[in-house]
Amino acid sequence: MTGGSVRRGQRAWLVLVSAAAIVLTVLGGAQVSDPIDLVPSVAEAAAVPGVLALAQYLLLRSGRIEPGTIGVAGLSAAIVGVNSAEGDGRMLLGVLLAFAAALPFALLSGYLALNAGLGYAMVSAATVLIAADQLVLQVVDRTVNTSAPLLRTLGGADLWLPSVFLVAAALFGLVALLRPTSEPMPLTEGWLRPTLLIFLPAFGLSVLAGVLYTARIQAAIPGGLSRDLLTVCLLGLAAGGCSLRTGEAHLVDVAVGALFAGSLTTFLAIESVDAATASLVVAATAVVFVLLDLARSSPAPAPDPAPVPDPR
């Protein structure tokens, strides 16, 4: 992230992406008799990448993104899913264990990001992502169906608008009240305070994304989860115009990008595209959006020179 460029035409970008999301929903709805019937599915599909993108949006305050949060989301989904098979009590224990697992990741990532430089921090993020994937394989080696009533409620089977989307919308509202900015936090305050204000909430959102993912599919699945969450999260960021180059992002950008990601994944599911091809399409679409973002970035205008005092 250079911080020396600005985004051009962001309003037009959001309008076009919103229109594309509507077109995908209409095309998919044509396969199920009525586009309106598809709205709850799109909303539910958008919730998980939306919450994960919120985590990255918070981290943009420190001028970077953190792929490790996606690994923690995958680990949380497995932990919560396995502990949800027996009932509410164990599900609550699983949620607490997921938050406990996120704590050391957040502290380590915060320390490295603010003290060891971007290169070390990105290596740490990749390590967390890989380690979380391996831990998922240790936690669950087969698909486990969940049965906790709370997760069934979050799935929203009896509601026109899925509860999982309402949870995501509430989180968007909370972040809007906090009003994070893209300005880097001052490092003179040490690493612990920015970590508590930025990294812990971001990793906490990743845990909640894991809970929402488990509620949506009603199962814990082994392997590949973090990869899928990574691509759809990056798609949500890139589609919304959250510039990975300049570090600029706003809450509306994240919301629009998440809805586009939800409409695209829902459309691919309706068209019966296999999982491997769908992941490839999502990743390729994210790359296209990133390239478009690079093309529309322009150098920031130079500040006006200070007036020269009159020697008289």
Side-chain angles (χ1 to χ4, degrees):
M1 300 176 188
T2 63
S5 302
V6 294
R7 300 179 297 175
R8 293 180 298 177
Q10 179 60 15
R11 291 185 179 179
W13 176 290
L14 292 178
V15 170
L16 291 175
V17 172
S18 299
I22 294 174
V23 169
L24 286 172
T25 302
V26 171
L27 292 177
Q31 306 293 328
V32 294
S33 74
D34 189 351
I36 298 299
D37 295 337
L38 203 60
V39 172
S41 298
V42 171
E44 192 175 5
V48 175
V51 174
L52 280 173
L54 276 182
Q56 304 299 340
Y57 169 63
L58 287 172
L59 287 162
L60 283 173
R61 295 182 65 181
S62 63
R64 64 193 297 272
I65 61 173
E66 177 60 82
T69 59
I70 289 92
V72 170
L75 176 63
S76 301
I79 293 176
V80 173
V82 170
N83 285 279
S84 299
E86 302 297 331
D88 284 338
R90 286 197 61 185
M91 188 207 70
L92 178 59
L93 173 62
V95 173
L96 294 177
L97 288 175
F99 274 105
L103 179 61
F105 288 141
L107 293 175
L108 176 63
S109 293
Y111 178 81
L112 290 176
L114 301 176
N115 293 276
L118 182 61
Y120 288 102
M122 293 307 292
V123 171
S124 169
T127 303
V128 169
L129 187 64
I130 296 171
D133 252 347
Q134 293 303 310
L135 286 172
V136 167
L137 294 176
Q138 298 300 320
V139 171
V140 53
D141 58 0
R142 58 185 177 82
T143 299
V144 178
N145 294 325
T146 60
S147 60
L150 179 56
L151 287 183
R152 288 202 300 271
T153 301
L154 281 176
D158 299 326
L159 296 177
W160 184 84
L161 193 63
S163 300
V164 67
F165 178 76
L166 297 180
V167 171
L171 293 175
F172 269 80
L174 178 61
V175 174
L177 291 176
L178 297 177
R179 291 165 50 138
T181 67
S182 59
E183 293 297 323
M185 292 291 292
L187 302 185
T188 54
E189 300 182 17
W191 72 274
L192 185 57
R193 185 170 182 271
T195 297
L196 294 176
L197 294 177
I198 298 175
F199 284 84
L200 283 183
F203 276 78
L205 283 173
S206 72
V207 172
L208 292 175
V211 175
L212 295 178
Y213 184 86
T214 305
R216 182 185 174 218
I217 66 174
Q218 293 293 298
I221 59 175
L225 179 60
S226 294
R227 177 199 63 208
D228 295 336
L229 291 179
L230 176 62
T231 55
V232 75
C233 175
L234 290 179
L235 173 61
L237 286 170
C242 302
S243 180
L244 306 184
R245 179 183 183 185
T246 67
E248 290 185 274
H250 297 287
L251 196 65
V252 175
D253 305 339
V254 179
V256 171
L259 287 173
F260 176 84
S263 63
L264 177 61
T265 54
T266 302
F267 175 77
L268 294 175
I270 289 177
E271 294 296 325
S272 301
V273 178
D274 63 273
T277 303
S279 295
L280 183 61
V281 170
V282 170
T285 306
V287 169
V288 170
F289 274 115
V290 169
L291 293 176
L292 290 174
D293 177 65
L294 292 176
R296 74 191 179 113
S297 298
S298 60
D304 295 330
V308 179
D310 190 342
R312 295 177 298 177

